[in-house]
């Protein structure tokens, strides 16, 4: 008999997110599982630093104190099972903390912990590896903060098969917490590639919580009145891999084709080859269908045999960074701020020389309020109110300290109207960089710890050759139709994100008939030109015709990415907004429909 569908709620997208989701999903969601994603590359380095200070730290403590503690009895009473990568770099300690909580409440729940991703002890063995994207050599091993392989979903499924009610992992791919629940529930094999791809894509949509239910949505005004009570996403997955995305009743936000499509393209590259440890996903031809209010069906995921390697991410310390923000207003505020910043940097450089310190590795002046993020597309030439940020990277915290001192110390010598809300002086902070590489799967040993025992998870060898033929460009049926320019945001949704020093921008046509015109106008060259003030590298363009979408990947565009960057937007979160402001040519007849509200 076919097993019933599986309802999975996504409760966390990063370490530090609000804890409201667990209660909402447990009380109102009618879910079988609640899954949590806490980890990013930089998060691992922060947790590693915490572990060096205390052997009981190094995991997402919020998972224990804020997510589980207030809701554990409800979770137990309703038989909801939990999967979370809250273990960070110390999953066994996280497991102990959860077990102590269970004992405190006198509940009958079984905890399992998945380990094997942490490879920091083998740092010397990786010294000959090259960075998989930049071909750089391995960092000095004494600067390494963390090294973790991205594990897949089968160890999680194994833990659930052995009776775990709560599964805690270290580093795994974000979607694995969802896929692991699906593999366990449906018994999917390691070669059920289409189903594995569908479970992975469901997990990808859940992994950022309310970004699938109206958060960061292009049409944010549509949920303005209910954002405070936004609902968290629920995927209801069937045995064949078709799933729906919804949210608990009587919650805010919205679930529609736009919100789901935006999240589907978030932080990915080629939608025909989204590579994970358990499967390579092709979601370029999925159908996203609104079947009810706040309920969307996703179907048509395809999967292929997974790679023979695990991706591994190391984080390492590369000096220090720091900066100060100040406010200028009044006539010619932009000019005042820029003059002050340039003078401050000159004073700081003299201070470095006087202290026998090398020059800054990098400096950056950013003005918020004069459209500096728009580059050549900037329209405001002279703002009357701007926030200045002057920042730098240096090998020594002393070098950053000199800049911070001069930024404040030069205040009385600067132009008029300089002011600041913050009191005190910022402190230098470490620069953490990412180094990614591949290692053969047999070199990693995932283990499940449960009920005092531990079990090795045998690898499924399903590797095969993978290649796809790129989709043909969407054709304009009548190229002679007269056209007129229209802002892209009127005919498309957009979402942008980051992976290391890359950014992606997903653009989804609001109606399929708009896609050929968007494709024709938004060439890789035109998109690169839009972001030429950030990068001179070529732009990759991919087509996802199933849901009328285009994905752009921008290289070397984030100033180093994450907390290695000095930028105000080091993760490219606003890049879609910059692109949606562009104009494309659309047939006049379609524009007239737009103007009359016929979307």
């Amino acid at each position: 008999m076919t097993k019933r569908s599986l309802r999975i709620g996504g409760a966390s997208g990063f370490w530090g997110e609000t804890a409201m989701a667990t209660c909402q999903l447990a009380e109102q969601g009618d879910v079988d599982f609640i899954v949590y994603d806490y980890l990013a590359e930089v998060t691992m380095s922060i947790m590693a630093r915490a572990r060096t200070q205390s052997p009981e730290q190094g995991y997402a403590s919020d998972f224990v104190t804020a997510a589980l503690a207030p809701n554990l009895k409800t979770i137990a009473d309703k038989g909801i099972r939990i999967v979370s990568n809250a273990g960070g770099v110390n999953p066994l300690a996280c497991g102990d903390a959860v077990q102590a909580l269970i004992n405190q409440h006198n509940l009958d729940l079984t905890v399992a912990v998945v380990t094997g991703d942490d490879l920091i002890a083998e740092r010397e063995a990786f010294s000959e590896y090259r960075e998989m994207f930049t071909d750089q050599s391995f960092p000095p091993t004494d600067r390494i903060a963390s090294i973790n392989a991205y594990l897949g979903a089968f160890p999680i499924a194994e833990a659930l098969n052995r009776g775990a009610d709560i599964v805690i992992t270290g580093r795994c791919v974000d979607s694995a917490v969802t896929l692991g629940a699906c593999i366990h529930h449906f018994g999917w094999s390691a070669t059920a590639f289409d189903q594995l791809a569908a479970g992975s894509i469901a997990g990808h949509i859940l992994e950022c919580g309310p970004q699938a239910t109206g958060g960061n949505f292009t049409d944010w005004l549509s949920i303005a009145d209910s954002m405070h009570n936004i609902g968290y996403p629920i995927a209801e997955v069937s045995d064949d891999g078709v799933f729906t995305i919804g949210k608990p009743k009587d919650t805010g936000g919205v679930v529609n084709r736009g919100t789901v499509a935006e999240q589907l393209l978030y932080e990915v590259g080629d939608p025909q080859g989204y590579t994970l440890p358990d499967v390579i996903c092709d979601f370029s031809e999925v159908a996203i269908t609104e079947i009810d209010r706040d309920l969307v069906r996703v179907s048509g995921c395809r999967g292929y045999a997974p790679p023979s390697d695990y991706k591994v991410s190391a984080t390492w310390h590369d000096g220090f960074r720091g900066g100060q923000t100040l406010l200028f207003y009044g006539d010619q505020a932009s000019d005042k701020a820029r003059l002050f910043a340039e003078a401050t940097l000159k004073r700081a450089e003299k201070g470095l020389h006087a202290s026998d310190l090398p020059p800054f590795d990098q400096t950056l002046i950013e003005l918020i309020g004069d459209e500096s993020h728009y580059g050549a597309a900037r329209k405001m030439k002279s703002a009357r109110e701007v926030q200045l940020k002057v920042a730098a990277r240096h090998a020594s915290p002393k070098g950053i300290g000199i800049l911070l001192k001069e930024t404040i110390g030069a205040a009385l010598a600067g132009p008029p109207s300089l002011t600041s809300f913050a009191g005190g002086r910022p402190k230098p902070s470490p620069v953490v960089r990412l180094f990614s590489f591949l290692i053969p799967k047999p070199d990693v040993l995932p283990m499940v710890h449960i009920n005092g025992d531990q079990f090795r998870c045998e690898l499924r060898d399903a590797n095969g050759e993978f290649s796809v033929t790129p989709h043909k460009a969407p054709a304009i049926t009548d190229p002679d139709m007269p056209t007129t320019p229209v802002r892209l945001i009127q005919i498309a949704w957009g979402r942008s994100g980051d992976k290391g020093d890359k950014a992606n921008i997903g653009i989804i046509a609001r109606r399929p008939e708009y896609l050929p015109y968007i494709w024709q106008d938004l060439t890789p060259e035109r998109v690169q030109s839009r972001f030429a003030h950030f990068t001179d590298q070529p732009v990759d363009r991919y087509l996802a015709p199933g849901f009328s979408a285009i994905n752009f990947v921008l290289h070397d565009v984030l100033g180093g990415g994450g907390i290695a960057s000095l930028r105000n937007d080091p993760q490219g979160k606003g890049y879609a907004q910059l692109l949606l402001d562009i104009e494309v040519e659309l047939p006049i007849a379609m524009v007239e429909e737009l103007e009359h509200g016929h979307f």
Side-chain angles (χ1 to χ4, degrees):
M1 185 174 69
T2 303
K3 296 180 180 179
R4 68 180 181 87
S5 60
L6 182 66
R7 287 177 61 83
I8 306 171
S12 175
F14 67 98
W15 187 21
E17 188 181 351
T18 175
M20 65 181 280
T22 302
C23 179
Q24 181 194 99
L25 291 168
E27 295 283 358
Q28 304 168 247
D30 188 27
V31 295
D32 303 297
F33 278 84
I34 300 177
V35 297
Y36 302 78
D37 172 33
Y38 286 100
L39 302 182
E41 288 81 1
V42 171
T43 308
M44 302 300 288
S45 69
I46 296 171
M47 291 178 169
R49 193 158 59 244
R51 183 177 58 181
T52 62
Q53 297 171 354
S54 169
E56 298 178 352
Q57 299 300 314
Y59 61 87
S61 56
D62 295 1
F63 171 65
V64 181
T65 60
L68 291 188
N71 303 292
L72 197 58
K73 188 175 186 307
T74 300
I75 289 168
D77 290 345
K78 293 193 173 187
I80 299 170
R81 301 172 85 175
I82 304 294
V83 184
S84 172
N85 62 10
V89 299
N90 205 349
L92 290 173
C94 184
D96 290 342
V98 172
Q99 186 62 59
L101 186 66
I102 292 170
N103 296 342
Q104 177 185 333
H105 287 81
N106 195 29
L107 297 171
D108 183 20
L109 296 173
T110 299
V111 179
V113 176
V114 176
T115 63
D117 64 291
D118 193 344
L119 306 177
I120 187 69
E122 303 174 43
R123 62 172 74 90
E124 299 293 342
F126 300 133
S127 60
E128 300 301 318
Y129 278 77
R130 311 290 295 186
E131 216 282 338
M132 61 187 293
F133 299 114
T134 67
D135 198 40
Q136 292 179 336
S137 58
F138 199 77
T141 54
D142 60 346
R143 296 190 191 178
I144 297 292
S146 64
I147 307 178
N148 295 84
Y150 288 75
L151 299 184
F154 279 95
I156 294 170
E158 182 69 20
L160 294 168
N161 292 343
R162 292 181 179 273
D165 301 293
I166 300 173
V167 181
I168 297 163
T169 78
R171 195 57 167 122
C172 61
V173 291
D174 300 344
S175 57
V177 292
T178 297
L179 179 58
C182 294
I183 293 170
H184 160 72
H185 186 77
F186 298 117
W188 291 342
S189 74
T191 56
F193 299 131
D194 288 351
Q195 286 96 327
L196 295 177
S200 298
I201 295 307
H204 176 65
I205 293 172
L206 292 183
E207 72 190 38
C208 290
Q211 280 196 178
T213 58
N216 290 327
F217 186 33
T218 301
D219 296 345
W220 58 274
L221 271 175
S222 65
I223 70 160
D225 294 339
S226 64
M227 191 179 296
H228 67 283
N229 185 40
I230 196 166
Y232 277 69
I234 298 171
E236 184 162 356
V237 188
S238 299
D239 179 63
D240 61 359
V242 175
F243 62 90
T244 62
I245 298 293
K247 64 185 182 68
K249 292 181 180 179
D250 302 321
T251 59
V254 64
V255 180
N256 61 27
R257 191 172 71 88
T259 65
V260 172
E262 281 192 7
Q263 180 58 27
L264 184 52
L265 284 176
Y266 182 62
E267 294 185 339
V268 301
D270 184 356
Q272 287 188 268
Y274 183 46
T275 303
L276 298 169
D278 302 308
V279 64
I280 296 176
C281 307
D282 178 357
F283 58 88
S284 64
E285 295 187 88
V286 303
I288 302 175
T289 309
E290 296 178 9
I291 59 175
D292 204 345
R293 180 177 179 180
D294 292 323
L295 191 64
V296 169
R297 182 176 62 235
V298 180
S299 60
C301 298
R302 297 293 305 275
Y304 302 91
S308 57
D309 297 317
Y310 281 120
K311 179 183 176 182
V312 179
S313 286
T315 60
W316 62 287
H317 297 295
D318 185 26
F320 295 82
R321 68 171 190 164
Q324 178 69 283
T325 57
L326 300 165
L327 175 68
F328 285 82
Y329 63 98
D331 188 44
Q332 295 180 289
S334 301
D335 296 334
K336 295 173 185 175
R338 199 174 302 278
L339 173 63
F340 176 80
E342 291 170 352
T344 297
L345 287 173
K346 289 179 180 178
R347 291 170 63 133
E349 287 163 358
K350 289 182 179 179
L352 293 176
H353 182 73
S355 300
D356 292 325
L357 291 172
F360 292 115
D361 296 325
Q362 182 184 6
T363 62
L364 181 68
I365 298 170
E366 282 188 301
L367 301 183
I368 306 303
D370 74 341
E371 299 188 0
S372 60
H373 278 77
Y374 283 81
R378 175 188 179 202
K379 296 178 180 177
M380 182 180 293
K381 301 303 181 183
S382 181
R384 295 191 301 167
E385 181 178 89
V386 296
Q387 185 179 52
L388 163 70
K389 187 188 78 179
V390 55
R393 287 197 304 108
H394 196 271
S396 167
K398 294 181 181 179
I400 298 301
I402 289 173
L403 170 65
L404 297 174
K405 182 178 180 180
E406 290 298 339
T407 305
I408 298 299
L412 298 181
S417 78
L418 184 158
T419 186
S420 175
F421 170 77
R425 187 185 303 162
K427 296 180 180 180
S429 60
V431 170
V432 178
R433 292 194 180 276
L434 180 65
F435 184 96
S436 300
F437 60 102
L438 301 175
I439 64 171
K441 285 182 177 177
D443 293 349
V444 178
L445 302 177
M447 303 288 294
V448 173
H449 305 252
I450 186 169
N451 293 327
D453 294 321
Q454 58 182 7
F455 305 90
R456 177 177 174 179
C457 298
E458 296 298 327
L459 295 172
R460 277 78 171 174
D461 186 9
N463 181 57
E465 295 296 324
F466 170 76
S467 64
V468 294
T469 301
H471 295 292
K472 293 182 179 179
I476 294 175
T477 55
D478 187 355
D480 296 326
M481 289 182 67
T483 63
T484 189
V486 61
R487 289 181 71 211
L488 181 60
I489 196 170
Q490 294 180 262
I491 61 171
W493 297 292
R495 172 79 58 80
S496 53
D498 70 301
K499 282 295 179 185
D501 201 17
K502 299 181 182 181
N504 89 290
I505 307 173
I507 297 295
I508 306 100
R510 293 177 185 264
R511 291 170 54 173
E513 53 264 41
Y514 298 154
L515 181 64
Y517 298 94
I518 297 173
W519 179 270
Q520 176 177 266
D521 268 15
L522 285 191
T523 63
E525 294 76 18
R526 190 178 182 199
V527 173
Q528 197 284 326
S529 176
R530 186 71 169 184
F531 293 90
H533 53 300
F534 290 143
T535 182
D536 60 358
Q537 297 300 304
V539 170
D540 300 329
R541 181 175 64 165
Y542 303 100
L543 183 64
F547 54 106
S548 305
I550 307 169
N551 195 40
F552 297 96
V553 177
L554 288 66
H555 300 268
D556 301 337
V557 73
L558 298 173
I563 62 173
S565 176
L566 298 180
R567 303 224 186 122
N568 274 311
D569 186 5
Q571 296 172 311
K573 301 303 184 187
Y575 283 10
Q577 298 300 305
L578 299 182
L579 192 57
L580 287 168
D581 190 54
I582 210 167
E583 289 187 335
V584 298
E585 291 290 325
L586 199 68
I588 293 174
M590 292 185 185
V591 175
E592 289 175 347
E593 289 182 353
L594 274 174
E595 293 173 347
H596 288 88
H598 299 150
F599 286 86

